[in-house]
Amino acid sequence: MKKINQLLSILILAVLLFSSTTVIAQDEAPKMPEFVTVTTNHWNMDKKDFKMLEWKAAAKEYLEKVTMKNEYILNTSVYLHNMTEDNTELLNVQTFASWEDIGKFGKRNAELEKQAWPDETKRIAFLKHLGSYYSNEHSDEIYASINGAKYMAEKATKDMVLYVRKSHFAFPEDGTMEEFNKLRMEANAAVVQKNQYVKAYYPNVHAWGSDKTEFLEAYYLDSLGDLEKMFDRDDELLKEAFPENEANILKEKAWAKYFTGVHGDYLYTYIHDLSK
């Protein structure tokens, strides 16, 4: 157990150091956030006057008056259930430049709320109205961004499909960060970056939350139909980059040892006009 915890600590530390180096070295590339927070909310199924358009209007108003003006939040986005185990869930994802900014954004939100709705009665009424769409149940996870992202070429002008693959680290005793990153980035360059159906891709590892083994990969697609096309294209690119031979068989075995072999798949709808 001690060796597993040590390898995890080394992984996260190396990831953060590598991420920081990448940001500094590539001035013209989009700056990668250090941390990603994921809040899983749930619809209030007991709300009798539930109107999706009214919820979206209220959420957009809050986005424009508060979130867009909060300098501690780099990006924010909202995702609705598409194909997951719980049809009531919706995700709110925010990215931050540092751990300190995670501690600052809540206070700043409160300040901006008072500026947006100086009348306390109206402010309380608005927040109560928006909050009435959600149940009291929610969960929070914090992930660390790692290198290998494929950035969106331009800001989305329509809703998109988000495919999330959640794998789990196995922490092999003979594993090294050097080997892991070399194998990962080689496959990333040969497959993810070249797959035309993947409009954006963001890899993350667990930083704070319920499961320290998580390796989370987020793929953005134009449509649900592109999911199968993405998988087919992945297979083609893998065969082109890694033809079957002894050297590549060894690479595949080396890569597989870093994971348990168990993973989960999730599909969400990315709401393009509720993003910063």
Side-chain angles (χ1 to χ4, degrees):
M1 180 61 72
K2 184 177 181 181
K3 288 185 177 180
I4 291 177
N5 289 334
Q6 286 176 339
L7 181 57
L8 176 64
S9 299
I10 292 171
L11 173 63
I12 292 177
L13 178 60
V15 158
L16 295 180
L17 290 175
F18 202 109
S19 299
S20 299
T21 303
T22 303
V23 170
I24 294 172
Q26 300 177 356
D27 293 334
E28 296 182 0
K31 290 192 175 183
M32 184 165 59
E34 289 281 354
F35 294 103
V36 180
T37 65
V38 179
T39 298
T40 302
N41 290 305
H42 297 270
W43 295 119
N44 178 6
M45 304 302 285
D46 295 324
K47 184 174 174 62
K48 300 185 184 302
D49 56 344
F50 192 108
K51 297 177 182 177
M52 184 62 78
L53 289 179
E54 285 190 4
W55 162 77
K56 189 174 182 179
K60 194 169 184 177
E61 183 177 353
Y62 189 89
L63 171 72
E64 293 171 349
K65 293 182 176 180
V66 179
T67 309
M68 295 295 288
K69 297 179 180 180
N70 191 325
E71 65 271 27
Y72 298 114
I73 301 173
L74 294 180
N75 308 98
T76 188
S77 47
V78 175
Y79 305 85
L80 304 184
H81 155 87
N82 189 319
M83 291 186 185
T84 67
E85 62 183 359
D86 186 349
N87 71 310
T88 72
E89 68 180 359
L90 65 157
L91 308 184
N92 181 259
V93 178
Q94 299 186 114
T95 67
F96 298 89
S98 68
W99 189 268
E100 290 75 20
D101 285 354
I102 296 177
K104 294 176 181 178
F105 90 95
K107 181 179 179 181
R108 183 60 175 145
N109 271 358
E111 294 172 349
L112 291 167
E113 287 171 4
K114 290 180 180 179
Q115 293 177 19
W117 298 279
D119 185 304
E120 183 177 10
T121 301
K122 292 182 179 179
R123 180 172 66 254
I124 293 174
F126 174 82
L127 295 175
K128 183 178 181 181
H129 169 66
L130 179 57
S132 70
Y133 281 91
Y134 311 120
S135 72
N136 293 323
E137 177 189 359
H138 82 276
S139 61
D140 299 288
E141 301 285 341
I142 302 178
Y143 297 93
S145 303
I146 63 176
N147 58 313
K150 180 177 182 178
Y151 296 98
M152 197 86 69
E154 55 187 20
K155 187 174 175 62
T157 57
K158 64 176 184 177
D159 292 353
M160 301 181 73
V161 170
L162 172 68
Y163 164 61
V164 176
R165 179 187 296 145
K166 188 181 295 185
S167 304
H168 298 273
F169 289 119
F171 311 113
E173 291 193 5
D174 61 340
T176 66
M177 278 306 305
E178 181 181 2
E179 180 185 54
F180 175 79
N181 273 325
K182 182 179 179 181
L183 291 169
R184 186 174 67 84
M185 293 307 293
E186 184 179 4
N188 179 284
V191 180
V192 176
Q193 302 297 330
K194 292 183 178 181
N195 192 323
Q196 68 270 32
Y197 298 106
V198 179
K199 301 306 177 182
Y201 167 82
Y202 302 101
N204 304 275
V205 296
H206 164 274
W208 189 272
S210 60
D211 187 349
K212 67 183 179 182
T213 72
E214 286 185 350
F215 175 48
L216 207 67
E217 299 173 275
Y219 298 79
Y220 289 76
L221 311 168
D222 278 334
S223 67
L224 193 58
D226 282 351
L227 183 63
E228 185 175 355
K229 294 177 183 177
M230 179 192 75
F231 289 136
D232 289 341
R233 185 59 178 145
D234 277 353
D235 288 340
E236 294 172 354
L237 291 167
L238 279 169
K239 289 177 182 178
E240 291 173 10
F242 307 102
E244 189 171 346
N245 56 46
E246 186 175 351
N248 288 328
I249 290 174
L250 291 175
K251 282 184 181 180
E252 184 178 356
K253 289 182 178 179
W255 175 250
K257 73 183 179 184
Y258 288 97
F259 298 94
T260 64
V262 176
H263 78 273
D265 300 288
Y266 309 84
L267 286 174
Y268 297 94
T269 299
Y270 164 64
I271 309 301
H272 79 284
D273 51 352
L274 288 181
S275 66
K276 176 181 179 181

